[in-house]
Amino acid sequence: MKRTFHSSKPESDALNAYIKLIRASENLSVATHRHLADHDLTSSQFAVLETLYHLGPLCQIEIGKKIQKSRGNVTTVVNNLARRKLIERQKDCRDKRFSQVALTDLGEKMVYEVFPHHIAGIVRIFSCLTPAEQHELARLCRKLGLSQQAKTY
Amino acid sequence: MKRTFHSSKPESDALNAYIKLIRASENLSVATHRHLADHDLTSSQFAVLETLYHLGPLCQIEIGKKIQKSRGNVTTVVNNLARRKLIERQKDCRDKRFSQVALTDLGEKMVYEVFPHHIAGIVRIFSCLTPAEQHELARLCRKLGLSQQAKTY
DNA sequence: TAGAAATAGTTTTATGTCAAACTAATATGC
DNA sequence: GCATATTAGTTTGACATAAAACTATTTCTA
């Protein structure tokens, strides 16, 4: 079988970079997810805990902006964390539409437990690249990211 | 608030590269997903169609290896594509455990319709990088990917 | 060759994810 | 001031995803 569409040079260059980047990112996700799963946390749950740790209590819309997820999804993830008493919702008295979401003591403890190992894992994975290579990778990814904000695909 | 864990230089280099790579990849996913959604296809559904187009009929285990997803997930995605008559399951006569999954004519038509635009979108996004930069990005991502296969995080 | 191990696939359970419809509260404009 | 916009959050429906338990079939092995 092995059919394929015709590819010009610019196409195959772009496609190759695309597939390599996607694969690298998927591998990173798998690795980090595996570690977080030891603490029964998903990536999104950890992202919420980490965000609240760094920035303090936030409303759900703000959380959504930080972790780049939809409103409905934030409701789900926050529900699952609240059920485990890792975070708390508090209705804002002034504007009852808002809920302030804050880490509980238990949630903070979880961040302390998980975060250092999380960082160490990432450092270990990236240690196959020299510092210069890490900078260059970051630069290229940033350039790629910026260019997309304008484009509609 | 703005609390943060202490970060050494190697840590912040790795973390910076990590976050930039994840973000770039997420942006790519959003862009491609938006296009595919116009044809009511998810990324996984398209990945299955594309794989079957390139390699011909495969069993579900093989599909799972190609698109890097679990057995159960392949069942789900294949079900959803089969419901729309884009693919067909055929029980293997020799070994009844296997199902050969093949594109239907309708599925092939879908690939022809979607693929060129899909490629064009990727090329457009990556056009913000020079060919040399695209090569370098691919090289760094590949290096990162390879290093992970050995490591347990 | 009969029982055990392995294999392909499905089902179940729990979570994530989005979009769209919805509710409740606040802000705006005439 | 009241009708209308907007905004924060929830709910719903459809799909994705993994892990684990399960079924059916085949292979291995003693």
Side-chain angles (χ1 to χ4, degrees), chain B residues 71-104:
Chain B
R71 284 169 300 166
N73 183 32
V74 172
T75 295
T76 302
V77 175
V78 166
N79 280 344
N80 287 330
L81 287 171
R83 185 160 31 75
R84 288 167 62 188
K85 311 266 187 227
L86 294 171
I87 60 178
E88 265 177 354
R89 279 189 179 97
Q90 286 159 359
K91 271 282 171 210
D92 187 317
C93 304
R94 309 182 196 189
D95 189 335
K96 289 173 195 161
R97 289 173 302 183
F98 289 78
S99 293
Q100 287 288 313
V101 181
L103 277 186
T104 60

PDB file of all heavy atoms in Angstrom, chain B residues 71-104:
ATOM      1  N   ARG B  71      -5.779   0.482  23.446  1.00  0.00           N
ATOM      2  CA  ARG B  71      -6.713  -0.417  22.750  1.00  0.00           C
ATOM      3  C   ARG B  71      -8.143   0.080  22.871  1.00  0.00           C
ATOM      4  O   ARG B  71      -8.879   0.168  21.888  1.00  0.00           O
ATOM      5  CB  ARG B  71      -6.652  -1.817  23.361  1.00  0.00           C
ATOM      6  CG  ARG B  71      -5.472  -2.633  23.005  1.00  0.00           C
ATOM      7  CD  ARG B  71      -5.407  -3.851  23.884  1.00  0.00           C
ATOM      8  NE  ARG B  71      -5.292  -3.491  25.297  1.00  0.00           N
ATOM      9  CZ  ARG B  71      -5.464  -4.302  26.313  1.00  0.00           C
ATOM     10  NH1 ARG B  71      -5.786  -5.563  26.093  1.00  0.00           N
ATOM     11  NH2 ARG B  71      -5.317  -3.886  27.541  1.00  0.00           N
ATOM     12  N   GLY B  72      -8.551   0.348  24.114  1.00  0.00           N
ATOM     13  CA  GLY B  72      -9.920   0.770  24.359  1.00  0.00           C
ATOM     14  C   GLY B  72     -10.290   2.025  23.589  1.00  0.00           C
ATOM     15  O   GLY B  72     -11.398   2.147  23.070  1.00  0.00           O
ATOM     16  N   ASN B  73      -9.328   2.922  23.501  1.00  0.00           N
ATOM     17  CA  ASN B  73      -9.578   4.163  22.784  1.00  0.00           C
ATOM     18  C   ASN B  73      -9.740   3.911  21.291  1.00  0.00           C
ATOM     19  O   ASN B  73     -10.590   4.522  20.641  1.00  0.00           O
ATOM     20  CB  ASN B  73      -8.431   5.135  23.035  1.00  0.00           C
ATOM     21  CG  ASN B  73      -8.694   6.464  22.373  1.00  0.00           C
ATOM     22  OD1 ASN B  73      -9.835   6.883  22.250  1.00  0.00           O
ATOM     23  ND2 ASN B  73      -7.650   7.117  21.938  1.00  0.00           N
ATOM     24  N   VAL B  74      -8.937   3.012  20.752  1.00  0.00           N
ATOM     25  CA  VAL B  74      -9.063   2.684  19.336  1.00  0.00           C
ATOM     26  C   VAL B  74     -10.458   2.130  19.065  1.00  0.00           C
ATOM     27  O   VAL B  74     -11.101   2.505  18.068  1.00  0.00           O
ATOM     28  CB  VAL B  74      -7.983   1.676  18.899  1.00  0.00           C
ATOM     29  CG1 VAL B  74      -8.247   1.181  17.481  1.00  0.00           C
ATOM     30  CG2 VAL B  74      -6.606   2.321  18.976  1.00  0.00           C
ATOM     31  N   THR B  75     -10.948   1.273  19.939  1.00  0.00           N
ATOM     32  CA  THR B  75     -12.308   0.752  19.788  1.00  0.00           C
ATOM     33  C   THR B  75     -13.314   1.899  19.666  1.00  0.00           C
ATOM     34  O   THR B  75     -14.159   1.920  18.769  1.00  0.00           O
ATOM     35  CB  THR B  75     -12.696  -0.133  20.994  1.00  0.00           C
ATOM     36  OG1 THR B  75     -11.868  -1.291  21.004  1.00  0.00           O
ATOM     37  CG2 THR B  75     -14.145  -0.582  20.908  1.00  0.00           C
ATOM     38  N   THR B  76     -13.195   2.866  20.573  1.00  0.00           N
ATOM     39  CA  THR B  76     -14.124   4.005  20.562  1.00  0.00           C
ATOM     40  C   THR B  76     -14.042   4.798  19.263  1.00  0.00           C
ATOM     41  O   THR B  76     -15.063   5.060  18.615  1.00  0.00           O
ATOM     42  CB  THR B  76     -13.807   4.951  21.737  1.00  0.00           C
ATOM     43  OG1 THR B  76     -13.908   4.218  22.957  1.00  0.00           O
ATOM     44  CG2 THR B  76     -14.769   6.122  21.773  1.00  0.00           C
ATOM     45  N   VAL B  77     -12.814   5.165  18.876  1.00  0.00           N
ATOM     46  CA  VAL B  77     -12.656   6.007  17.687  1.00  0.00           C
ATOM     47  C   VAL B  77     -13.112   5.259  16.437  1.00  0.00           C
ATOM     48  O   VAL B  77     -13.819   5.820  15.587  1.00  0.00           O
ATOM     49  CB  VAL B  77     -11.190   6.461  17.543  1.00  0.00           C
ATOM     50  CG1 VAL B  77     -10.990   7.241  16.252  1.00  0.00           C
ATOM     51  CG2 VAL B  77     -10.786   7.319  18.729  1.00  0.00           C
ATOM     52  N   VAL B  78     -12.752   3.972  16.361  1.00  0.00           N
ATOM     53  CA  VAL B  78     -13.165   3.167  15.214  1.00  0.00           C
ATOM     54  C   VAL B  78     -14.691   3.033  15.174  1.00  0.00           C
ATOM     55  O   VAL B  78     -15.301   3.129  14.106  1.00  0.00           O
ATOM     56  CB  VAL B  78     -12.470   1.788  15.235  1.00  0.00           C
ATOM     57  CG1 VAL B  78     -13.121   0.823  14.267  1.00  0.00           C
ATOM     58  CG2 VAL B  78     -10.989   1.952  14.880  1.00  0.00           C
ATOM     59  N   ASN B  79     -15.307   2.848  16.329  1.00  0.00           N
ATOM     60  CA  ASN B  79     -16.773   2.816  16.385  1.00  0.00           C
ATOM     61  C   ASN B  79     -17.379   4.090  15.795  1.00  0.00           C
ATOM     62  O   ASN B  79     -18.306   4.027  14.991  1.00  0.00           O
ATOM     63  CB  ASN B  79     -17.258   2.681  17.834  1.00  0.00           C
ATOM     64  CG  ASN B  79     -17.185   1.244  18.329  1.00  0.00           C
ATOM     65  OD1 ASN B  79     -17.053   0.310  17.545  1.00  0.00           O
ATOM     66  ND2 ASN B  79     -17.258   1.076  19.637  1.00  0.00           N
ATOM     67  N   ASN B  80     -16.843   5.224  16.221  1.00  0.00           N
ATOM     68  CA  ASN B  80     -17.413   6.495  15.770  1.00  0.00           C
ATOM     69  C   ASN B  80     -17.230   6.706  14.274  1.00  0.00           C
ATOM     70  O   ASN B  80     -18.090   7.284  13.613  1.00  0.00           O
ATOM     71  CB  ASN B  80     -16.810   7.655  16.567  1.00  0.00           C
ATOM     72  CG  ASN B  80     -17.344   7.695  17.983  1.00  0.00           C
ATOM     73  OD1 ASN B  80     -18.485   7.295  18.242  1.00  0.00           O
ATOM     74  ND2 ASN B  80     -16.529   8.136  18.921  1.00  0.00           N
ATOM     75  N   LEU B  81     -16.095   6.237  13.736  1.00  0.00           N
ATOM     76  CA  LEU B  81     -15.881   6.360  12.290  1.00  0.00           C
ATOM     77  C   LEU B  81     -16.755   5.371  11.519  1.00  0.00           C
ATOM     78  O   LEU B  81     -17.273   5.690  10.448  1.00  0.00           O
ATOM     79  CB  LEU B  81     -14.403   6.126  11.955  1.00  0.00           C
ATOM     80  CG  LEU B  81     -13.439   7.241  12.342  1.00  0.00           C
ATOM     81  CD1 LEU B  81     -11.996   6.790  12.168  1.00  0.00           C
ATOM     82  CD2 LEU B  81     -13.707   8.493  11.504  1.00  0.00           C
ATOM     83  N   ALA B  82     -16.926   4.168  12.087  1.00  0.00           N
ATOM     84  CA  ALA B  82     -17.717   3.136  11.416  1.00  0.00           C
ATOM     85  C   ALA B  82     -19.186   3.563  11.347  1.00  0.00           C
ATOM     86  O   ALA B  82     -19.868   3.332  10.344  1.00  0.00           O
ATOM     87  CB  ALA B  82     -17.578   1.808  12.148  1.00  0.00           C
ATOM     88  N   ARG B  83     -19.663   4.199  12.410  1.00  0.00           N
ATOM     89  CA  ARG B  83     -21.054   4.664  12.429  1.00  0.00           C
ATOM     90  C   ARG B  83     -21.323   5.604  11.263  1.00  0.00           C
ATOM     91  O   ARG B  83     -22.411   5.622  10.697  1.00  0.00           O
ATOM     92  CB  ARG B  83     -21.345   5.346  13.769  1.00  0.00           C
ATOM     93  CG  ARG B  83     -22.774   5.764  13.956  1.00  0.00           C
ATOM     94  CD  ARG B  83     -23.157   5.990  15.410  1.00  0.00           C
ATOM     95  NE  ARG B  83     -22.074   6.459  16.265  1.00  0.00           N
ATOM     96  CZ  ARG B  83     -21.577   7.704  16.269  1.00  0.00           C
ATOM     97  NH1 ARG B  83     -22.087   8.614  15.454  1.00  0.00           N
ATOM     98  NH2 ARG B  83     -20.607   8.028  17.093  1.00  0.00           N
ATOM     99  N   ARG B  84     -20.295   6.369  10.881  1.00  0.00           N
ATOM    100  CA  ARG B  84     -20.454   7.323   9.780  1.00  0.00           C
ATOM    101  C   ARG B  84     -20.041   6.715   8.444  1.00  0.00           C
ATOM    102  O   ARG B  84     -19.909   7.431   7.440  1.00  0.00           O
ATOM    103  CB  ARG B  84     -19.622   8.569  10.062  1.00  0.00           C
ATOM    104  CG  ARG B  84     -20.203   9.429  11.173  1.00  0.00           C
ATOM    105  CD  ARG B  84     -19.227  10.470  11.639  1.00  0.00           C
ATOM    106  NE  ARG B  84     -18.863  11.423  10.590  1.00  0.00           N
ATOM    107  CZ  ARG B  84     -17.911  12.338  10.714  1.00  0.00           C
ATOM    108  NH1 ARG B  84     -17.212  12.413  11.836  1.00  0.00           N
ATOM    109  NH2 ARG B  84     -17.647  13.164   9.729  1.00  0.00           N
ATOM    110  N   LYS B  85     -19.794   5.410   8.429  1.00  0.00           N
ATOM    111  CA  LYS B  85     -19.460   4.693   7.188  1.00  0.00           C
ATOM    112  C   LYS B  85     -18.188   5.211   6.536  1.00  0.00           C
ATOM    113  O   LYS B  85     -18.038   5.144   5.314  1.00  0.00           O
ATOM    114  CB  LYS B  85     -20.619   4.795   6.169  1.00  0.00           C
ATOM    115  CG  LYS B  85     -21.991   4.465   6.741  1.00  0.00           C
ATOM    116  CD  LYS B  85     -22.344   3.025   6.519  1.00  0.00           C
ATOM    117  CE  LYS B  85     -23.777   2.742   6.945  1.00  0.00           C
ATOM    118  NZ  LYS B  85     -23.878   1.520   7.769  1.00  0.00           N
ATOM    119  N   LEU B  86     -17.273   5.737   7.332  1.00  0.00           N
ATOM    120  CA  LEU B  86     -16.005   6.198   6.769  1.00  0.00           C
ATOM    121  C   LEU B  86     -14.989   5.052   6.743  1.00  0.00           C
ATOM    122  O   LEU B  86     -14.014   5.100   6.004  1.00  0.00           O
ATOM    123  CB  LEU B  86     -15.465   7.383   7.589  1.00  0.00           C
ATOM    124  CG  LEU B  86     -16.325   8.645   7.511  1.00  0.00           C
ATOM    125  CD1 LEU B  86     -15.869   9.700   8.514  1.00  0.00           C
ATOM    126  CD2 LEU B  86     -16.303   9.230   6.099  1.00  0.00           C
ATOM    127  N   ILE B  87     -15.210   4.061   7.596  1.00  0.00           N
ATOM    128  CA  ILE B  87     -14.366   2.870   7.609  1.00  0.00           C
ATOM    129  C   ILE B  87     -15.249   1.636   7.811  1.00  0.00           C
ATOM    130  O   ILE B  87     -16.426   1.768   8.148  1.00  0.00           O
ATOM    131  CB  ILE B  87     -13.328   2.905   8.759  1.00  0.00           C
ATOM    132  CG1 ILE B  87     -14.053   2.999  10.098  1.00  0.00           C
ATOM    133  CG2 ILE B  87     -12.371   4.057   8.590  1.00  0.00           C
ATOM    134  CD1 ILE B  87     -13.128   2.983  11.287  1.00  0.00           C
ATOM    135  N   GLU B  88     -14.654   0.465   7.595  1.00  0.00           N
ATOM    136  CA  GLU B  88     -15.372  -0.808   7.743  1.00  0.00           C
ATOM    137  C   GLU B  88     -14.521  -1.781   8.528  1.00  0.00           C
ATOM    138  O   GLU B  88     -13.300  -1.842   8.329  1.00  0.00           O
ATOM    139  CB  GLU B  88     -15.621  -1.430   6.360  1.00  0.00           C
ATOM    140  CG  GLU B  88     -16.954  -1.117   5.749  1.00  0.00           C
ATOM    141  CD  GLU B  88     -17.026  -1.732   4.356  1.00  0.00           C
ATOM    142  OE1 GLU B  88     -16.003  -2.284   3.873  1.00  0.00           O
ATOM    143  OE2 GLU B  88     -18.104  -1.652   3.742  1.00  0.00           O
ATOM    144  N   ARG B  89     -15.159  -2.565   9.394  1.00  0.00           N
ATOM    145  CA  ARG B  89     -14.470  -3.672  10.066  1.00  0.00           C
ATOM    146  C   ARG B  89     -14.756  -4.956   9.312  1.00  0.00           C
ATOM    147  O   ARG B  89     -15.895  -5.203   8.922  1.00  0.00           O
ATOM    148  CB  ARG B  89     -14.992  -3.852  11.488  1.00  0.00           C
ATOM    149  CG  ARG B  89     -14.429  -2.933  12.540  1.00  0.00           C
ATOM    150  CD  ARG B  89     -14.911  -3.422  13.890  1.00  0.00           C
ATOM    151  NE  ARG B  89     -14.410  -2.620  15.001  1.00  0.00           N
ATOM    152  CZ  ARG B  89     -15.071  -1.648  15.576  1.00  0.00           C
ATOM    153  NH1 ARG B  89     -16.267  -1.312  15.109  1.00  0.00           N
ATOM    154  NH2 ARG B  89     -14.552  -0.991  16.609  1.00  0.00           N
ATOM    155  N   GLN B  90     -13.720  -5.781   9.120  1.00  0.00           N
ATOM    156  CA  GLN B  90     -13.923  -7.115   8.558  1.00  0.00           C
ATOM    157  C   GLN B  90     -13.222  -8.128   9.428  1.00  0.00           C
ATOM    158  O   GLN B  90     -12.016  -8.035   9.634  1.00  0.00           O
ATOM    159  CB  GLN B  90     -13.372  -7.190   7.121  1.00  0.00           C
ATOM    160  CG  GLN B  90     -14.246  -6.478   6.104  1.00  0.00           C
ATOM    161  CD  GLN B  90     -13.467  -6.135   4.845  1.00  0.00           C
ATOM    162  OE1 GLN B  90     -12.268  -6.415   4.756  1.00  0.00           O
ATOM    163  NE2 GLN B  90     -14.145  -5.525   3.884  1.00  0.00           N
ATOM    164  N   LYS B  91     -13.992  -9.114   9.940  1.00  0.00           N
ATOM    165  CA  LYS B  91     -13.398 -10.157  10.773  1.00  0.00           C
ATOM    166  C   LYS B  91     -12.416 -10.978   9.940  1.00  0.00           C
ATOM    167  O   LYS B  91     -12.721 -11.388   8.824  1.00  0.00           O
ATOM    168  CB  LYS B  91     -14.487 -11.087  11.319  1.00  0.00           C
ATOM    169  CG  LYS B  91     -15.087 -10.640  12.652  1.00  0.00           C
ATOM    170  CD  LYS B  91     -14.163 -10.975  13.823  1.00  0.00           C
ATOM    171  CE  LYS B  91     -14.672 -10.325  15.111  1.00  0.00           C
ATOM    172  NZ  LYS B  91     -13.619  -9.977  16.050  1.00  0.00           N
ATOM    173  N   ASP B  92     -11.244 -11.191  10.496  1.00  0.00           N
ATOM    174  CA  ASP B  92     -10.248 -12.039   9.832  1.00  0.00           C
ATOM    175  C   ASP B  92     -10.700 -13.497   9.935  1.00  0.00           C
ATOM    176  O   ASP B  92     -11.024 -13.985  11.008  1.00  0.00           O
ATOM    177  CB  ASP B  92      -8.898 -11.844  10.542  1.00  0.00           C
ATOM    178  CG  ASP B  92      -7.768 -12.538   9.818  1.00  0.00           C
ATOM    179  OD1 ASP B  92      -7.960 -13.685   9.369  1.00  0.00           O
ATOM    180  OD2 ASP B  92      -6.691 -11.939   9.706  1.00  0.00           O
ATOM    181  N   CYS B  93     -10.735 -14.199   8.793  1.00  0.00           N
ATOM    182  CA  CYS B  93     -11.235 -15.584   8.779  1.00  0.00           C
ATOM    183  C   CYS B  93     -10.270 -16.528   9.502  1.00  0.00           C
ATOM    184  O   CYS B  93     -10.680 -17.471  10.156  1.00  0.00           O
ATOM    185  CB  CYS B  93     -11.410 -16.077   7.354  1.00  0.00           C
ATOM    186  SG  CYS B  93     -12.479 -15.021   6.382  1.00  0.00           S
ATOM    187  N   ARG B  94      -8.990 -16.272   9.357  1.00  0.00           N
ATOM    188  CA  ARG B  94      -7.997 -17.214   9.892  1.00  0.00           C
ATOM    189  C   ARG B  94      -7.892 -17.095  11.406  1.00  0.00           C
ATOM    190  O   ARG B  94      -7.799 -18.090  12.114  1.00  0.00           O
ATOM    191  CB  ARG B  94      -6.617 -16.933   9.289  1.00  0.00           C
ATOM    192  CG  ARG B  94      -6.670 -16.845   7.782  1.00  0.00           C
ATOM    193  CD  ARG B  94      -5.274 -16.625   7.219  1.00  0.00           C
ATOM    194  NE  ARG B  94      -5.370 -16.175   5.824  1.00  0.00           N
ATOM    195  CZ  ARG B  94      -4.338 -16.063   5.011  1.00  0.00           C
ATOM    196  NH1 ARG B  94      -3.124 -16.357   5.436  1.00  0.00           N
ATOM    197  NH2 ARG B  94      -4.496 -15.661   3.776  1.00  0.00           N
ATOM    198  N   ASP B  95      -7.877 -15.855  11.892  1.00  0.00           N
ATOM    199  CA  ASP B  95      -7.758 -15.636  13.332  1.00  0.00           C
ATOM    200  C   ASP B  95      -8.876 -14.697  13.749  1.00  0.00           C
ATOM    201  O   ASP B  95      -8.810 -13.492  13.548  1.00  0.00           O
ATOM    202  CB  ASP B  95      -6.394 -15.035  13.662  1.00  0.00           C
ATOM    203  CG  ASP B  95      -6.139 -14.996  15.166  1.00  0.00           C
ATOM    204  OD1 ASP B  95      -7.133 -14.970  15.925  1.00  0.00           O
ATOM    205  OD2 ASP B  95      -4.970 -14.996  15.572  1.00  0.00           O
ATOM    206  N   LYS B  96      -9.893 -15.281  14.359  1.00  0.00           N
ATOM    207  CA  LYS B  96     -11.123 -14.512  14.608  1.00  0.00           C
ATOM    208  C   LYS B  96     -10.965 -13.446  15.690  1.00  0.00           C
ATOM    209  O   LYS B  96     -11.905 -12.733  15.994  1.00  0.00           O
ATOM    210  CB  LYS B  96     -12.268 -15.468  14.972  1.00  0.00           C
ATOM    211  CG  LYS B  96     -12.744 -16.304  13.798  1.00  0.00           C
ATOM    212  CD  LYS B  96     -13.750 -17.356  14.248  1.00  0.00           C
ATOM    213  CE  LYS B  96     -13.935 -18.407  13.157  1.00  0.00           C
ATOM    214  NZ  LYS B  96     -14.512 -19.660  13.674  1.00  0.00           N
ATOM    215  N   ARG B  97      -9.773 -13.381  16.294  1.00  0.00           N
ATOM    216  CA  ARG B  97      -9.579 -12.307  17.258  1.00  0.00           C
ATOM    217  C   ARG B  97      -9.409 -10.966  16.551  1.00  0.00           C
ATOM    218  O   ARG B  97      -9.716  -9.914  17.076  1.00  0.00           O
ATOM    219  CB  ARG B  97      -8.326 -12.585  18.108  1.00  0.00           C
ATOM    220  CG  ARG B  97      -8.487 -13.720  19.081  1.00  0.00           C
ATOM    221  CD  ARG B  97      -7.170 -14.041  19.736  1.00  0.00           C
ATOM    222  NE  ARG B  97      -6.148 -14.391  18.751  1.00  0.00           N
ATOM    223  CZ  ARG B  97      -4.904 -14.767  19.058  1.00  0.00           C
ATOM    224  NH1 ARG B  97      -4.527 -14.812  20.333  1.00  0.00           N
ATOM    225  NH2 ARG B  97      -4.053 -15.078  18.130  1.00  0.00           N
ATOM    226  N   PHE B  98      -8.900 -11.009  15.329  1.00  0.00           N
ATOM    227  CA  PHE B  98      -8.574  -9.788  14.604  1.00  0.00           C
ATOM    228  C   PHE B  98      -9.735  -9.212  13.809  1.00  0.00           C
ATOM    229  O   PHE B  98     -10.543  -9.953  13.263  1.00  0.00           O
ATOM    230  CB  PHE B  98      -7.442 -10.060  13.607  1.00  0.00           C
ATOM    231  CG  PHE B  98      -6.109 -10.283  14.251  1.00  0.00           C
ATOM    232  CD1 PHE B  98      -5.802 -11.498  14.834  1.00  0.00           C
ATOM    233  CD2 PHE B  98      -5.160  -9.268  14.262  1.00  0.00           C
ATOM    234  CE1 PHE B  98      -4.571 -11.705  15.424  1.00  0.00           C
ATOM    235  CE2 PHE B  98      -3.925  -9.492  14.850  1.00  0.00           C
ATOM    236  CZ  PHE B  98      -3.635 -10.707  15.435  1.00  0.00           C
ATOM    237  N   SER B  99      -9.803  -7.886  13.763  1.00  0.00           N
ATOM    238  CA  SER B  99     -10.641  -7.191  12.786  1.00  0.00           C
ATOM    239  C   SER B  99      -9.727  -6.384  11.875  1.00  0.00           C
ATOM    240  O   SER B  99      -8.932  -5.580  12.364  1.00  0.00           O
ATOM    241  CB  SER B  99     -11.599  -6.214  13.467  1.00  0.00           C
ATOM    242  OG  SER B  99     -12.547  -6.880  14.241  1.00  0.00           O
ATOM    243  N   GLN B 100      -9.866  -6.583  10.586  1.00  0.00           N
ATOM    244  CA  GLN B 100      -9.202  -5.684   9.659  1.00  0.00           C
ATOM    245  C   GLN B 100     -10.071  -4.437   9.523  1.00  0.00           C
ATOM    246  O   GLN B 100     -11.279  -4.549   9.291  1.00  0.00           O
ATOM    247  CB  GLN B 100      -9.036  -6.347   8.287  1.00  0.00           C
ATOM    248  CG  GLN B 100      -7.976  -7.427   8.259  1.00  0.00           C
ATOM    249  CD  GLN B 100      -6.568  -6.850   8.343  1.00  0.00           C
ATOM    250  OE1 GLN B 100      -6.243  -5.910   7.638  1.00  0.00           O
ATOM    251  NE2 GLN B 100      -5.746  -7.420   9.228  1.00  0.00           N
ATOM    252  N   VAL B 101      -9.452  -3.283   9.672  1.00  0.00           N
ATOM    253  CA  VAL B 101     -10.186  -2.032   9.511  1.00  0.00           C
ATOM    254  C   VAL B 101      -9.726  -1.381   8.220  1.00  0.00           C
ATOM    255  O   VAL B 101      -8.527  -1.232   7.984  1.00  0.00           O
ATOM    256  CB  VAL B 101      -9.937  -1.085  10.695  1.00  0.00           C
ATOM    257  CG1 VAL B 101     -10.731   0.207  10.525  1.00  0.00           C
ATOM    258  CG2 VAL B 101     -10.299  -1.764  12.001  1.00  0.00           C
ATOM    259  N   ALA B 102     -10.683  -1.025   7.362  1.00  0.00           N
ATOM    260  CA  ALA B 102     -10.337  -0.461   6.056  1.00  0.00           C
ATOM    261  C   ALA B 102     -11.162   0.782   5.768  1.00  0.00           C
ATOM    262  O   ALA B 102     -12.297   0.910   6.224  1.00  0.00           O
ATOM    263  CB  ALA B 102     -10.581  -1.505   4.965  1.00  0.00           C
ATOM    264  N   LEU B 103     -10.574   1.714   5.015  1.00  0.00           N
ATOM    265  CA  LEU B 103     -11.301   2.886   4.528  1.00  0.00           C
ATOM    266  C   LEU B 103     -12.409   2.448   3.584  1.00  0.00           C
ATOM    267  O   LEU B 103     -12.217   1.568   2.757  1.00  0.00           O
ATOM    268  CB  LEU B 103     -10.365   3.800   3.720  1.00  0.00           C
ATOM    269  CG  LEU B 103      -9.459   4.798   4.430  1.00  0.00           C
ATOM    270  CD1 LEU B 103      -8.755   5.656   3.374  1.00  0.00           C
ATOM    271  CD2 LEU B 103     -10.241   5.664   5.384  1.00  0.00           C
ATOM    272  N   THR B 104     -13.568   3.064   3.675  1.00  0.00           N
ATOM    273  CA  THR B 104     -14.588   2.915   2.629  1.00  0.00           C
ATOM    274  C   THR B 104     -14.307   3.955   1.543  1.00  0.00           C
ATOM    275  O   THR B 104     -13.422   4.798   1.698  1.00  0.00           O
ATOM    276  CB  THR B 104     -15.985   3.201   3.209  1.00  0.00           C
ATOM    277  OG1 THR B 104     -16.001   4.541   3.703  1.00  0.00           O
ATOM    278  CG2 THR B 104     -16.317   2.241   4.343  1.00  0.00           C
TER     279      THR B 104
END
